[in-house]
Amino acid sequence: EVQLVQSGAEVKKPGATVKLSCKVSGYTFTDYFMHWVQQAPGKGLEWMGLVDPEDGETKYAEKFQGRLTITADTSTDTAYMELSSLRSEDTAVYYCATDVIFGVVTKAGYWGQGTLVTVSS
Amino acid sequence: QSALTQPPSVSGSPGQSVTISCTGTSSDIGTYYRVSWYQQPPGTAPKLMIYEVSNRPSGVPDRFSGSKSGNTASLTISGLQAEDEADYYCRSYTTRSTYVFGTGTKVTVL
């Protein structure tokens, strides 16, 4: 069974840095990109960036360039999302997500349960 | 990269069909067949419903179908059911090798 398990909620002060994790199981971590998505309270989904765990290559949305770092640790099958210079507008739920994973029988996309980050002084 | 444009809301009675549009540009939907659709009921994580314009993942009912014409992609829900009530988002790959989501559409079952 494919699972993406994210780390717990965080409370940070403005200007701080947050690092979230997403541990995967049930598939070969290096075979599929890992995306990170932001959802502010009551708002829509915003694509932040992705990492190719195979070689560590990343792509970031222009909005987050310079503040966002996404990495992948193949020794623990865990992806990380680090966002710096936090401001109140970064208060949101952050999701990790895969594209379609083609299993022996099934094909599906998978999302983590989400991690709430609250930025407040 | 601006968000793809979706109608804020659509509604229909049980059994009816509804279609959600997702309008982009020649830098995203118009160039690539890498358009996905996601369903998000309140308080839950999104779920992939359609990938590569018109393909359904395992377990997604065939009431859900996708298509694309020019710079606009569409998701159609046929035989609308109460459980289909949720927010729906499109997503496309772009010429900058990034992705962009749509603005989201709330589907209401009357």
Side-chain angles (χ1 to χ4, degrees):
Chain A
E1 179 192 9
V2 173
Q3 288 192 311
L4 278 61
V5 180
Q6 297 186 229
S7 48
E10 302 263 10
V11 179
K12 295 290 184 181
K13 293 193 183 304
T17 295
V18 70
K19 188 171 185 177
L20 309 182
S21 67
C22 172
K23 180 166 176 59
V24 314
S25 59
Y27 74 96
T28 303
F29 183 48
T30 52
D31 281 354
Y32 298 92
F33 292 174
M34 182 64 73
H35 300 256
W36 285 87
V37 176
Q38 179 192 63
Q39 187 169 37
K43 301 297 184 181
L45 303 176
E46 180 136 28
W47 186 83
M48 301 178 71
L50 63 78
V51 62
D52 179 353
E54 174 91 57
D55 59 11
E57 184 175 346
T58 55
K59 291 290 185 184
Y60 300 130
E62 192 173 338
K63 173 180 177 178
F64 298 101
Q65 284 276 5
R67 291 204 300 141
L68 176 62
T69 303
I70 299 175
T71 56
D73 183 344
T74 57
S75 69
T76 60
D77 289 351
T78 302
Y80 296 92
M81 187 281 288
E82 184 175 270
L83 190 62
S84 62
S85 302
L86 290 170
R87 38 218 190 213
S88 58
E89 310 89 89
D90 296 320
T91 293
V93 174
Y94 293 84
Y95 294 100
C96 58
T98 71
D99 284 320
V100 176
I101 292 178
F102 293 88
V104 175
V105 177
T106 62
K107 50 185 179 179
Y110 296 91
W111 289 63
Q113 81 276 21
T115 296
L116 175 62
V117 175
T118 303
V119 182
S120 174
S121 55
Chain B
Q1 180 77 47
S2 298
L4 307 173
T5 301
Q6 298 180 231
S9 64
V10 299
S11 62
S13 299
Q16 289 186 329
S17 293
V18 295
T19 296
I20 304 168
S21 60
C22 171
T23 302
T25 69
S26 57
S27 296
D28 39 66
I29 293 176
T31 296
Y32 298 104
Y33 279 81
R34 294 165 72 172
V35 177
S36 304
W37 288 90
Y38 299 85
Q39 177 193 64
Q40 187 180 33
T44 70
K47 174 186 176 183
L48 179 66
M49 303 301 284
I50 295 286
Y51 67 97
E52 292 174 1
V53 175
S54 59
N55 295 288
R56 278 186 307 277
S58 303
V60 173
D62 58 8
R63 304 184 290 103
F64 292 86
S65 62
S67 63
K68 186 186 88 148
S69 178
N71 295 338
T72 299
S74 299
L75 174 71
T76 298
I77 310 173
S78 306
L80 197 62
Q81 298 183 5
E83 67 208 50
D84 300 333
E85 192 160 284
D87 293 328
Y88 290 80
Y89 297 90
C90 57
R91 190 195 74 173
S92 176
Y93 187 64
T94 82
T95 52
R96 295 185 178 187
S97 301
T98 60
Y99 290 80
V100 61
F101 278 102
T103 50
T105 298
K106 181 177 180 62
V107 171
T108 301
V109 182
L110 301 171

